[in-house]
Amino acid sequence: MENIMGKMILCRGRQTDKPLVIEGTGMRLYTAEELRYYIYNNIYLIGQDFINGRLIEFLRQTGEEELSERIRSLSEKKAGLAEMLVTILKTVDYYSVSDIEKLRETLNTLGRQNVCERLKSRGDGYLANECFFSAVKCYESIINEYKGNGLSGSEYAKVYHNLGTAYARMFMYKKAVKYYDEAYAIGQHEESRKCSIAAGMLADRNSGPVNVDATEDEYVINREIETLMDNARYSDEYRQIEQIEALKQQGMMKEFNNAIDSELVKWKNDYMKYSKTF
C-alpha cells in the first residue's frame, strides 16, 4: 500500500531505486502505479515524446517486463500515443473501463489539435501545476515560433494573459505587465487590464505612496493588494515562519536549526519544480 500524491493505492510491482523523472514537472515516480496515476491525472502534459527508452526501462525495473515489451513493440510500430497510454492504464485495476475510454476520447481530441492548440493545453496544464517556467516555454513558443497560427483571437489573447500570469507568479511583474497589456490589446478582456494594473503596482511597490491622481480602478486594485498583503500574516506559511522564530527566541537552537534546514529544503524543491523545463 502506498500514498501516491494524496491517494492510497495498492502496489503490486517493485519500487525502483532509479525513479522516472518527468520532464517539465520534475516529479519522480518510483512504481508503475505512480506512473499510471500520473498519466491519468496529467494527460494534458503528455506528448508523444513521453514514450521513450527511459519509460520502457522504468517499466522493466518495476516488474512490468511484459508491459515494457508491449510498449517497446508499439513504439517501434509507430503506434499512436492514445493506444500506448491506454495500454499502460489497462494493466491496473483501479481505473474502470469507462474512465479509460473517456481518457482515450480526450487523447484523440488532443491528437486532432493543431500545434498551437496542443502547446496551449500543455502550457495551461503546467500553469495549473505551478510549473511556471515550463508554462512560459509553451506560451512563448506559440507566440515566437508559431505566431498563434490556428488559434482564434480570443484564444491567442488567453495565451498572452496566461503568460503574464506565469511571470506574475514568479514575481517578474514588469514582464507580466507587458503580456497582460498584449492580452488586453488583442482580446479587450477587462480581467487582463485589471491584472496589468495590479502587476504594475506590485512592480512599483517600493516607489512610494499611491499617486493621488490614480484612477478609481487603480485605487480599488491597490486597496485589494494591501488587503491581501495584510492577510498574508494569517497564512499557514507565515505561521510556520513565526513558529520557527519562536524556537530561536526560546533558546532551542538545535530545533531552530533543524526547522530552518527543513524549510530551506522545501524552498529549494519548490524552486526546482518551478524552474523545470520540458
Side-chain angles (χ1 to χ4, degrees), residues 46-112:
I46 297 175
Q48 192 72 36
D49 58 350
F50 185 77
I51 306 295
N52 54 33
R54 291 188 301 108
L55 181 137
I56 292 169
E57 176 62 17
F58 170 79
L59 288 171
R60 189 189 66 78
Q61 291 178 353
T62 56
E64 299 281 356
E65 289 87 356
E66 183 179 345
L67 177 60
S68 176
E69 288 305 312
R70 287 173 65 188
I71 298 301
R72 184 193 304 278
S73 177
L74 287 170
S75 179
E76 290 174 350
K77 294 175 181 176
K78 307 297 183 183
L81 180 62
E83 182 180 356
M84 290 188 281
L85 294 182
V86 167
T87 297
I88 294 172
L89 290 175
K90 280 186 173 179
T91 58
V92 67
D93 56 8
Y94 51 80
Y95 292 123
S96 68
V97 173
S98 62
D99 286 338
I100 294 175
E101 288 307 313
K102 287 179 183 177
L103 192 72
R104 187 196 294 272
E105 291 176 12
T106 300
L107 284 164
N108 288 333
T109 298
L110 291 174
R112 292 191 293 270

Side-chain angles (χ1 to χ4, degrees), residues 12 17 30 84 114 128 131 157 166 169 171 183 185 194 203 207 252:
R12 299 175 301 181
D17 294 329
Y30 291 87
M84 290 188 281
N114 62 52
C131 299
R169 294 292 297 276
F171 310 108
K194 289 183 177 180
S207 61
M252 303 170 67

Side-chain angles (χ1 to χ4, degrees), residues 1-256:
M1 188 72 69
E2 185 170 350
N3 188 334
I4 299 179
M5 296 167 246
K7 181 177 180 179
M8 298 302 296
I9 293 177
L10 179 63
C11 296
R12 299 175 301 181
R14 296 195 300 265
Q15 178 172 312
T16 179
D17 294 329
K18 297 179 179 179
L20 177 67
V21 181
I22 304 299
E23 296 295 330
T25 65
M27 187 173 293
R28 295 171 178 267
L29 307 180
Y30 291 87
T31 67
E33 284 76 14
E34 287 182 335
L35 172 64
R36 294 170 183 121
Y37 185 92
Y38 177 83
I39 290 171
Y40 188 84
N41 290 279
N42 295 277
I43 198 63
Y44 289 102
L45 302 184
I46 297 175
Q48 192 72 36
D49 58 350
F50 185 77
I51 306 295
N52 54 33
R54 291 188 301 108
L55 181 137
I56 292 169
E57 176 62 17
F58 170 79
L59 288 171
R60 189 189 66 78
Q61 291 178 353
T62 56
E64 299 281 356
E65 289 87 356
E66 183 179 345
L67 177 60
S68 176
E69 288 305 312
R70 287 173 65 188
I71 298 301
R72 184 193 304 278
S73 177
L74 287 170
S75 179
E76 290 174 350
K77 294 175 181 176
K78 307 297 183 183
L81 180 62
E83 182 180 356
M84 290 188 281
L85 294 182
V86 167
T87 297
I88 294 172
L89 290 175
K90 280 186 173 179
T91 58
V92 67
D93 56 8
Y94 51 80
Y95 292 123
S96 68
V97 173
S98 62
D99 286 338
I100 294 175
E101 288 307 313
K102 287 179 183 177
L103 192 72
R104 187 196 294 272
E105 291 176 12
T106 300
L107 284 164
N108 288 333
T109 298
L110 291 174
R112 292 191 293 270
Q113 290 181 333
N114 62 52
V115 64
C116 284
E117 289 172 329
R118 291 198 302 273
L119 279 169
K120 184 179 181 300
S121 293
R122 179 174 279 197
D124 293 348
Y126 282 132
L127 186 60
N129 282 277
E130 299 186 335
C131 299
F132 305 125
F133 278 96
S134 295
V136 164
K137 286 185 72 69
C138 288
Y139 297 136
E140 289 190 338
S141 181
I142 292 171
I143 294 167
N144 298 326
E145 297 175 35
Y146 298 100
K147 311 300 181 186
N149 292 331
L151 293 180
S152 66
S154 176
E155 289 300 301
Y156 200 36
K158 289 178 183 178
V159 168
Y160 275 103
H161 183 97
N162 290 351
L163 181 54
T165 297
Y167 275 118
R169 294 292 297 276
M170 294 188 291
F171 310 108
M172 301 171 72
Y173 298 117
K174 289 184 178 180
K175 279 197 170 185
V177 169
K178 172 185 174 182
Y179 291 114
Y180 282 137
D181 286 346
E182 290 281 0
Y184 183 68
I186 297 170
Q188 295 293 299
H189 295 299
E190 191 67 10
E191 184 68 17
S192 297
R193 189 180 70 84
K194 289 183 177 180
C195 285
S196 175
I197 293 172
M201 287 181 172
L202 289 168
D204 299 331
R205 64 189 181 280
N206 296 322
S207 61
V210 177
N211 186 347
V212 294
D213 296 324
T215 66
E216 181 178 352
D217 280 344
E218 290 172 332
Y219 176 78
V220 170
I221 291 171
N222 184 68
R223 294 297 299 166
E224 290 177 355
I225 292 172
E226 289 179 347
T227 299
L228 288 172
M229 294 177 70
D230 288 340
N231 289 341
R233 67 179 62 251
Y234 302 109
S235 67
D236 291 339
E237 292 81 0
Y238 192 92
R239 291 196 187 97
Q240 178 70 15
I241 297 299
E242 284 187 325
Q243 291 170 2
I244 293 174
E245 179 62 23
L247 293 174
K248 182 178 180 180
Q249 298 299 327
Q250 296 167 17
M252 303 170 67
M253 297 308 298
K254 180 179 179 180
E255 291 82 357
F256 170 77

